[in-house]
Amino acid sequence: MNNDTICAIATPVGGALCVIRVSGGRVREIYAALAGGAPTAGRIRFARLKGKDGETLDEAMCAFFAAPKSYTGEDMLELYTHGGAYVVSAVSERLYGLGARQAEAGEFTRRAFVNGKLDLAQAESVIDVISATSRGAARAALDQLEGKLSDVVSRLEGELIDALSGVDAALDYPDELDEDVYSHLPATLNGVAQRLEQLRQDGLGGRVLREGALVTIVGAPNAGKSSLMNALIGRPRAIVTEFAGTTRDVLEEQLSISGIPVRLADTAGLHDAHDPVERIGIERARAYIDKADLLLVSFDSSKPWDGGCEELKSLCSARSAIAVITKSDIGGASDYEHRLRAFFENVCVISTLTGEGLDGLKAAIARCIAPPESTLVTNMRHVEAISDALAAVNDARLADEPDCIATDIRAALSALARITGREVDEDVIDAVFSRFCVGK
């Protein structure tokens, strides 16, 4: 990457203040022309920002960061201006006139990666911090930004490199080394494989923190599904009437339950429908059932138990599900509870009218979708790399010939290097930074 100078607005225009970032080889001369004088690293200074003809564009605070001790690893300037559209536009135009160009999406963080300030896993965590919608997601992203995942990967790489050096030495000098060179190899590979499997499982669970758990509400028509959705999100998102079949399509909303991001979906009631629009809604409901992380199966306790209830039970076989007995304020919940506790591990009795049981239901949802307590892996790209590394290590454990063992260990190291970006295609890097906003 060349050292041309980039600039971008890092905050929304129109607020009280705006942050404008500048990075690259011409920052010092831009500073002198815009704010006057020479910048001092690590100092925030008040300045009147000057236009081309010497007129004052704004009164602002200026912070200068000297390379390499900056976010990008280059000379960097941040301007804290007033947030009005005219002021921001005028300062930006002045920067362009002084030789800066508009930064591309994610270019500041990409320069940090190229200049060794962040590895690729840390760079990806920046956008995860920005987009986090829950406490758990933010904590996991910050752990990755601090390099905790990179440290774990580095330790695994170190063990594999040590193992590989022993195998390579045996291949290069077969007459000078005895069989003891392999004495620690099985234990090393077994230990690495166990930790990779733990990371893989951690990643499959940690996906919930990044993408949110899909929790799908299912049930017969008029079984209280839409009322349940409204109660969980705390506002009337879904239309509720006494008429069956009100919900024709899938309604999806974001919320946080015990710090875990949730995508809550309300679906059309399941029944034998003749209306073509209803049938489409039911097909979409079944698609959401198939991809759900958790089902909330709504049983209307105000009606007698029937064959439709039995079909709902069968539908949830081998799926993660909570039986939700609705309308407990009307009556009949005890019979449903007796029938369902023999089939469902989690049964909650609720009334959306009185609020009874809603806190218990939220707690049950949190238990069912909770990721591991210490989640280092939330990115599916990382999960794929870890899975590839695990497969290569397992191949090495089964291999008999030293050259095959060495080849498999190198494959595992190559897969792990994809996580931190030491071995990754340019198109992967492009895809990572395409998710960023301009100014980050």
Side-chain angles (χ1 to χ4, degrees):
M1 179 179 293
N2 57 37
N3 199 28
D4 62 340
T5 302
I6 58 174
C7 67
I9 300 165
T11 54
V13 177
L17 296 174
C18 179
V19 178
I20 303 175
R21 311 177 90 186
V22 190
S23 181
R26 304 189 67 178
V27 162
R28 293 173 188 262
E29 64 180 87
I30 288 174
Y31 186 102
L34 187 65
T40 302
R43 294 282 299 275
I44 297 180
R45 172 196 159 197
F46 169 81
R48 289 183 173 85
L49 306 183
K50 299 296 184 179
K52 182 179 180 181
D53 298 325
E55 77 279 15
T56 298
L57 301 177
D58 193 21
E59 293 183 345
M61 304 301 291
C62 309
F64 173 71
F65 307 90
K69 296 182 179 180
S70 71
Y71 181 74
T72 60
E74 305 169 335
D75 281 349
M76 193 168 173
L77 172 64
E78 288 189 351
L79 303 172
Y80 310 110
T81 72
H82 291 94
Y86 173 77
V87 168
V88 173
S89 176
V91 174
S92 297
E93 288 298 326
R94 177 64 168 145
L95 291 171
Y96 302 148
L98 291 171
R101 65 166 173 82
Q102 173 66 44
E104 298 174 359
E107 191 169 1
F108 288 92
T109 303
R110 184 164 187 157
R111 289 190 176 203
F113 166 66
V114 170
N115 292 326
K117 303 295 291 186
L118 300 170
D119 63 32
L120 194 57
Q122 290 173 298
E124 287 172 290
S125 70
V126 172
I127 193 65
D128 292 338
V129 172
I130 294 171
S131 60
T133 58
S134 69
R135 181 181 68 250
R139 183 66 265 166
L142 286 168
D143 283 345
Q144 290 186 17
L145 182 58
E146 291 171 3
K148 292 184 179 180
L149 173 60
S150 303
D151 289 343
V152 170
V153 170
S154 179
R155 288 194 292 271
L156 291 170
E157 288 175 324
E159 292 185 42
L160 289 173
I161 288 170
D162 287 344
L164 180 61
S165 64
V167 176
D168 283 343
L171 288 168
D172 293 339
Y173 308 103
D175 297 331
E176 298 180 20
L177 295 177
D178 56 30
E179 291 298 322
D180 289 342
V181 72
Y182 299 110
S183 61
H184 299 294
L185 190 59
T188 297
L189 294 179
N190 289 342
V192 169
Q194 289 175 3
R195 276 170 288 165
L196 285 172
E197 176 59 26
Q198 290 170 357
L199 283 175
R200 191 182 74 85
Q201 293 297 331
D202 181 49
L204 294 175
R207 175 189 61 81
V208 166
L209 290 178
R210 182 183 175 93
E211 301 175 8
L214 178 59
V215 178
T216 300
I217 305 172
V218 299
N222 212 22
K225 301 185 299 301
S226 295
S227 296
L228 174 56
M229 180 181 206
N230 291 343
L232 287 174
I233 66 175
R235 60 186 178 86
R237 171 67 172 87
I239 297 173
V240 177
T241 73
E242 69 273 23
F243 302 105
T246 303
T247 302
R248 296 290 188 97
D249 203 349
V250 177
L251 298 179
E252 191 171 319
E253 279 292 324
Q254 303 274 351
L255 71 154
S256 176
I257 296 179
S258 298
I260 305 168
V262 170
R263 295 160 49 214
L264 184 65
D266 178 26
T267 62
L270 302 177
H271 68 292
D272 292 329
H274 302 290
D275 185 291
V277 177
E278 271 195 286
R279 286 204 299 270
I280 293 172
I282 292 170
E283 289 174 4
R284 292 182 179 179
R286 292 187 180 279
Y288 265 74
I289 291 170
D290 290 339
K291 63 184 180 181
D293 295 298
L294 176 67
L295 297 177
L296 301 184
V297 191
S298 181
F299 292 90
D300 182 356
S301 64
S302 70
K303 297 177 180 178
W305 185 275
D306 58 18
C309 297
E310 292 293 338
E311 290 180 12
L312 270 179
K313 281 175 51 178
S314 300
L315 180 68
C316 299
S317 178
R319 300 177 190 272
S320 179
I322 298 174
V324 183
I325 302 172
T326 64
K327 307 181 184 181
S328 64
D329 53 288
I330 298 178
S334 57
D335 177 56
Y336 272 78
E337 192 171 3
H338 174 73
R339 290 174 180 271
L340 292 171
R341 286 203 179 277
F343 188 84
F344 289 90
E345 183 177 346
N346 293 285
V347 178
C348 295
V349 180
I350 71 160
S351 166
T352 57
L353 184 64
T354 67
E356 176 196 354
L358 286 175
D359 287 341
L361 174 58
K362 290 178 182 179
I365 293 171
R367 287 195 304 271
C368 291
I369 63 175
E373 288 187 10
S374 177
T375 304
L376 285 178
V377 184
T378 60
N379 187 316
M380 290 309 294
R381 189 182 74 83
H382 300 167
V383 173
E384 291 172 3
I386 289 166
S387 299
D388 290 346
L390 176 60
V393 169
N394 284 332
D395 287 343
R397 293 166 66 194
L398 297 174
D400 295 324
E401 298 298 325
D403 55 344
C404 294
I405 296 173
T407 297
D408 292 332
I409 293 176
R410 287 191 178 90
L413 286 167
S414 179
L416 291 176
R418 291 179 0 224
I419 296 174
T420 54
R422 286 192 301 277
E423 290 187 22
V424 66
D425 294 336
E426 192 69 20
D427 58 345
V428 173
I429 296 174
D430 290 340
V432 167
F433 289 105
S434 68
R435 298 174 52 230
F436 282 63
C437 56
V438 174
K440 196 57 187 169

